[in-house]
DNA sequence: AGCGGTCAAGTTGAT
DNA sequence: ATCAACTTGACCGCT
């Protein structure tokens, strides 16, 4: 006689904490360059040990607070992709301990049912006309794939890129670059509609062609509309997933009329949450809000009182 | 301890 | 022309 398990949306936290004392450290290349070889390795060792211990705490906190998805900061390994700062974890004094902590994080996330993902930053642009930019972007994605493999993360989410005055040409370049990516990347890569260039309608054909899931961001869709309603876009995005779909929610800081409406508010206004998502299960919804874990917990309590 | 200037990288749109 | 915004202020050096 099993109790019927009520299925709920999996709410996700992005990268940082507001009140909880869990922090991630980084450094700057300029400061780092001033150190000698020995100091460099010690500095990286210290930062990375700190960061992976923080990640472990983050996964524990999420599991204990019904936050079943966590986006990991891209600077978990500081300066790892900097062109003039090549290092491997194997070079570090604590490399064995670091690898064992990665494994610990992966197991803890699995045990606590915390889904892990990445959102590489704005410098990853697969459709730039500049070859060097595309090349660096692919290197950055390989770095994320390396981390994702170690941690058991199934999402590396990016935007379509820029338009360069010719959206169709830019989309062609996006297709061309994606077609050349290794499966290490494409097995986790997702595309997200943004607030300035690419709508769900623009990206869905690319997603379908390459079996790349679409992360539907309803806030961005409200900033940059296409021919699809929120329901239609949600359903079409949902169908691109071969695993649990992932959507984004956020509220505008200064209201929908403001020209700066794409800025994020501290919390999610329940009015902004598409209520029909509650029937689209299973589903992960990442909460993009300045109040971080407080905002996720508040939204979860409002949706499932 | 507190605070201001600075930080690798791309692209867009507001001012 | 400059600059904020983007998933996110954090860090260092000076007072």
């Amino acid at each position: 006689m099993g109790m019927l398990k009520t299925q709920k949306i999996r709410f996700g936290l992005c990268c940082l904490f507001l009140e909880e004392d869990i922090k991630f450290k980084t450094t700057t290349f300029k400061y780092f360059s001033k150190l000698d070889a020995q100091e460099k390795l010690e500095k990286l060792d210290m930062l990375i040990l700190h960061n992976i211990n923080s990640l472990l705490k983050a996964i524990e906190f999420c599991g204990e607070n019904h936050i079943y998805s966590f986006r990991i900061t891209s600077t978990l390994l500081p300066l790892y992709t900097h062109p003039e700062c090549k290092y491997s974890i194997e070079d570090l004094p604590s490399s064995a301990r670091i690898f064992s902590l990665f494994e610990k994080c992966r197991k803890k996330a699995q045990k606590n049912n915390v889904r892990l993902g990445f959102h590489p930053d704005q410098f990853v642009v697969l459709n730039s006309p500049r070859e060097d930019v595309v090349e660096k972007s692919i290197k950055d994605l390989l770095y994320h794939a390396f981390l994702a493999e170690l941690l058991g993360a199934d999402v590396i989410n990016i935007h379509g890129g820029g338009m360069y005055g010719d959206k169709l040409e830019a989309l062609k370049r996006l297709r061309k670059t994606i077609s050349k990516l290794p499966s290490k990347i494409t097995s986790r890569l997702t595309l997200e509609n943004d607030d300035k260039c690419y709508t769900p309608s623009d990206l869905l054909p690319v997603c379908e062609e390459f079996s790349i899931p679409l992360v539907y961001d309803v806030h961005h869709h409200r900033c940059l509309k296409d021919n699809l309603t929120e329901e239609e876009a949600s359903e079409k995005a949902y169908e691109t997933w071969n695993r649990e779909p992932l959507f984004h929610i956020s509220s505008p800081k200064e209201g929908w009329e403001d020209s700066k409406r794409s800025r994020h508010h501290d919390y999610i206004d329940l009015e902004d949450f598409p209520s029909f998502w509650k029937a689209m299960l299973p589903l992960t919804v990442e909460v993009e809000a300045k109040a971080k874990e407080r905002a996720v917990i508040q939204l979860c309590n409002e949706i499932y009182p």
Side-chain angles (χ1 to χ4, degrees):
Chain A
M1 55 139 268
M3 270 220 321
L4 190 65
K5 210 171 180 180
T6 314
Q7 251 224 4
K8 292 180 178 177
I9 292 173
R10 178 197 298 269
F11 287 103
L13 171 63
C14 301
C15 305
L16 304 175
F17 292 80
L18 180 71
E19 291 176 353
E20 198 62 20
D21 187 26
I22 299 174
K23 298 211 171 357
F24 296 90
K25 290 178 186 284
T26 185
T27 186
T28 60
F29 179 71
K30 190 172 177 178
Y31 168 75
F32 185 78
S33 328
K34 287 188 253 180
L35 305 175
D36 68 36
Q38 175 71 18
E39 290 170 323
K40 279 181 180 164
L41 291 178
E42 281 169 9
K43 174 88 179 169
L44 288 171
D45 200 67
M46 183 272 286
L47 292 173
I48 292 171
L49 278 174
H50 171 93
N51 286 350
I52 307 191
N53 277 304
S54 290
L55 179 59
L56 193 60
K57 280 164 72 182
I59 293 166
E60 281 166 0
F61 177 88
C62 287
E64 288 162 7
N65 288 274
H66 308 284
I67 298 172
Y68 296 116
S69 163
F70 183 67
R71 181 190 299 172
I72 302 167
T73 176
S74 290
T75 54
L76 195 70
L77 306 183
L79 299 177
Y80 196 83
T81 57
H82 192 286
E84 294 171 63
C85 169
K86 219 37 223 157
Y87 73 93
S88 307
I89 296 179
E90 283 86 351
D91 303 332
L92 304 174
S94 312
S95 67
R97 171 134 184 78
I98 289 166
F99 279 117
S100 103
L101 278 166
F102 269 119
E103 179 70 2
K104 210 167 165 183
C105 286
R106 190 179 64 77
K107 288 194 168 138
K108 173 92 42 185
Q110 201 169 22
K111 183 161 172 282
N112 287 7
N113 188 23
V114 177
R115 185 184 195 182
L116 298 176
F118 291 93
H119 195 347
D121 58 35
Q122 61 271 36
F123 310 110
V124 173
V125 185
L126 294 184
N127 71 348
S128 174
R130 287 174 47 192
E131 255 180 58
D132 60 313
V133 171
V134 176
E135 206 171 303
K136 273 187 280 182
S137 298
I138 295 173
K139 282 195 180 137
D140 211 272
L141 290 178
L142 283 169
Y143 156 71
H144 282 89
F146 165 66
L147 283 182
E149 198 157 11
L150 284 173
L151 291 165
D154 76 303
V155 170
I156 301 172
N157 180 42
I158 60 169
H159 294 290
M163 293 194 292
Y164 315 92
D166 186 344
K167 188 144 112 174
L168 276 183
E169 238 354 89
L171 276 168
K172 254 169 97 175
R173 281 197 304 277
L174 179 63
R175 286 185 149 91
K176 193 173 165 204
T177 307
I178 290 177
S179 74
K180 292 194 217 155
L181 295 175
S183 63
K184 222 176 130 99
I185 293 173
T186 52
S187 61
R188 302 180 175 93
L189 189 70
T190 65
L191 290 173
E192 177 191 346
N193 63 300
D194 65 85
D195 59 332
K196 291 197 185 81
C197 306
Y198 294 103
T199 63
S201 284
D202 294 324
L203 296 176
L204 278 163
V206 182
C207 290
E208 284 155 13
E209 181 176 347
F210 298 102
S211 301
I212 301 286
L214 179 69
V215 171
Y216 176 58
D217 187 313
V218 67
H219 183 183
H220 288 160
H221 196 203
R222 287 164 185 161
C223 295
L224 185 69
K225 293 179 193 299
D226 54 15
N227 57 323
L228 300 173
T229 63
E230 291 174 19
E231 285 89 341
E232 288 165 343
S234 298
E235 277 163 26
K236 285 175 185 289
Y238 199 94
E239 285 166 14
T240 62
W241 286 83
N242 65 350
R243 49 201 185 274
E244 182 170 317
L246 171 60
F247 293 174
H248 285 179
I249 186 72
S250 48
S251 282
K253 185 164 185 63
E254 288 139 296
W256 288 103
E257 304 313 314
D258 197 279
S259 60
K260 287 178 239 161
R261 62 190 179 171
S262 73
R263 289 170 58 184
H264 292 161
H265 193 73
D266 293 348
Y267 290 88
I268 304 301
D269 183 339
L270 201 52
E271 293 276 296
D272 295 327
F273 189 89
S275 58
F276 57 90
W277 281 5
K278 286 185 264 184
M280 299 180 81
L281 297 171
L283 178 63
T284 299
V285 175
E286 285 186 336
V287 177
E288 297 182 327
K290 302 276 185 197
K292 296 294 158 193
E293 80 277 15
R294 300 315 314 163
V296 182
I297 291 165
Q298 179 178 301
L299 178 64
C300 194
N301 287 338
E302 286 179 2
I303 301 265
Y304 300 115

